[in-house]
Each structure stands twice: as structure tokens, then as C-alpha cells.
Amino acid sequence: MAKQTWKPGNMVYPLPAVMISVTDGKGKDNIITAAWVGTVCTNPPMVSVSIRPERYSYHMMKETGEFVINLTTEKLAFATDYCGVRSGRDVDKFKEMKLTKEKAQYVRAPMIQESPVSIECRVREIKELGSHHMFLADVLAVHAEEDYMDDRKRFDLNAARPLVYSHGEYTGIGRKIGTFGYSVKKSTGKKKIKAKTKR
């Protein structure tokens, strides 16, 4: 196998395709689709979102210091793409995509009811890095859809058929290969001993 060498670029794929809901605090709400989203820290729980300053939602996030990350599913693929290519300056994305606003617990920005997971965030710091500015934010609360609780009362996000973004394409996550730590986990099952037969 041979690899080509390309100029520097963003090739860490796939990434979660999320819909970020925001508000201006004066009655105007919007949704922006983003893939430059990531986990920053476990304790305290923090996330990062990178947004171009020219995007309509950027100033809402900056001025209010709040937003909600809404995870997406295969069923939400069309709405996810639409909210990424249409500007809130021109259309009401909630109305056009028939998405339901749901009141958040700690922030003024609404959650998206159709999302299986909504994460309330408060901005801690904004890093002006270049084409994108990174919002470092504290996670205030996580809201998970009860329909995706399994028999052991654990949340099964895979059952929601999450949507990911990979180099310009939206895809599902495919079948499960293993679980965290499975490569070093010792087998708990007893080995079957085959009885020797006399010939």
C-alpha cells in the first residue's frame, strides 16, 4: 500500500454531525450545523465547538455565552444538512424543518426535541484561532431520550442510529465491532472440554 502526501488539512474523520441551537435572548432562535465539535475534558465536563465568525449564529453564541449541542440521527440527516447550508438571516430553520423547540433547564437557547441527546453548554472561553474561533464550554446538563434506554436501564445511543460526517458525506455509524476495553478483557466463559473418544 502506498500513501499520497497532501498539503495540511482537516482529515480527522468521521466526526459527529450536530445541530447547535442558539438564541439572541430577545426572541430570535437559530440552528447551526457543525462537525468541528469535540470532547475537551471529563472533570469538569467540557466541550469545544469551532465556528466561523461570519456565521449568523456566531454572534448569538458569543453574546449570550450559551448554546445547546443536539446530536443527530439518520432520520435527521436532511434537516442537519439544511441547517448547515441555509442562513438563519433568511429562514426560520425550526419552522422550515418542522423541528420542535424544547425548553432547556439552565440556558435560554432551546433544545431540539427530535434529537436523542441535547447538551446544555455555557461558554468559558473563546479562542480566535484563524478561520474558526473555538468556543470552550462547560457542560451544564445532558438530556437523553428515554426511548433509547435498554433493558438494563443504560442509554443505547446506537439504537438511535447516529449520524456522522466524513469528508463531505453524511453516513451512519455501521455495526458495532466491540466495546471499550474488549481487546484486553479476559474471557469469563468456561472453555468446553471435548471428550476423548477411543478408536
Side-chain angles (χ1 to χ4, degrees):
M1 293 176 63
K3 291 180 180 174
Q4 296 180 4
T5 301
W6 297 348
K7 66 179 182 180
N10 296 315
M11 284 299 293
V12 181
Y13 291 117
L15 295 165
V18 304
M19 290 191 287
I20 299 173
S21 45
V22 298
T23 186
D24 65 0
K26 302 172 185 177
K28 178 73 173 180
D29 302 324
N30 193 44
I31 303 169
I32 179 173
T33 297
W36 304 154
V37 178
T39 298
V40 173
C41 186
T42 299
N43 188 19
M46 293 181 66
V47 294
S48 68
V49 177
S50 293
I51 305 290
R52 291 181 181 271
E54 59 266 27
R55 296 296 295 269
Y56 180 66
S57 294
Y58 173 89
H59 294 286
M60 292 186 181
M61 293 171 64
K62 185 175 181 178
E63 290 166 16
T64 65
E66 301 174 344
F67 59 90
V68 178
I69 295 174
N70 301 276
L71 302 190
T72 60
T73 64
E74 292 179 17
K75 285 185 178 180
L76 290 170
F78 187 89
T80 301
D81 183 65
Y82 182 92
C83 290
V85 297
R86 289 287 182 263
S87 174
R89 295 183 181 93
D90 307 318
V91 296
D92 181 337
K93 298 180 189 180
F94 277 98
K95 182 179 178 181
E96 292 298 318
M97 291 294 100
K98 297 180 173 57
L99 295 172
T100 309
K101 295 180 185 181
E102 190 172 22
K103 184 175 175 57
Q105 187 172 352
Y106 297 105
V107 301
R108 288 168 290 174
M111 302 187 295
I112 298 174
Q113 189 178 78
E114 289 77 8
S115 169
V117 177
S118 296
I119 305 166
E120 295 187 56
C121 304
R122 179 165 293 139
V123 178
R124 179 186 289 204
E125 183 181 352
I126 303 174
K127 291 185 174 292
E128 299 183 5
L129 302 174
S131 63
H132 290 66
H133 292 182
M134 178 186 288
F135 290 75
L136 292 171
D138 292 298
V139 173
L140 304 180
V142 177
H143 304 267
E145 174 57 55
E146 292 181 349
D147 287 348
Y148 299 113
M149 295 293 183
D150 65 18
D151 295 337
R152 290 179 284 182
K153 303 300 180 184
R154 295 189 307 181
F155 186 70
D156 183 8
L157 180 59
N158 290 336
R161 301 180 70 85
L163 186 70
V164 296
Y165 178 81
S166 183
H167 202 53
E169 298 178 338
Y170 301 101
T171 64
I173 61 171
R175 66 185 181 89
K176 182 171 73 174
I177 303 299
T179 57
F180 179 76
Y182 85 103
S183 62
V184 296
K185 188 175 180 180
K186 293 181 180 179
S187 175
T188 55
K190 294 181 179 179
K191 292 183 178 178
K192 292 182 179 179
I193 301 174
K194 292 183 180 179
K196 292 182 179 179
T197 56
K198 293 182 179 180
R199 291 186 178 180

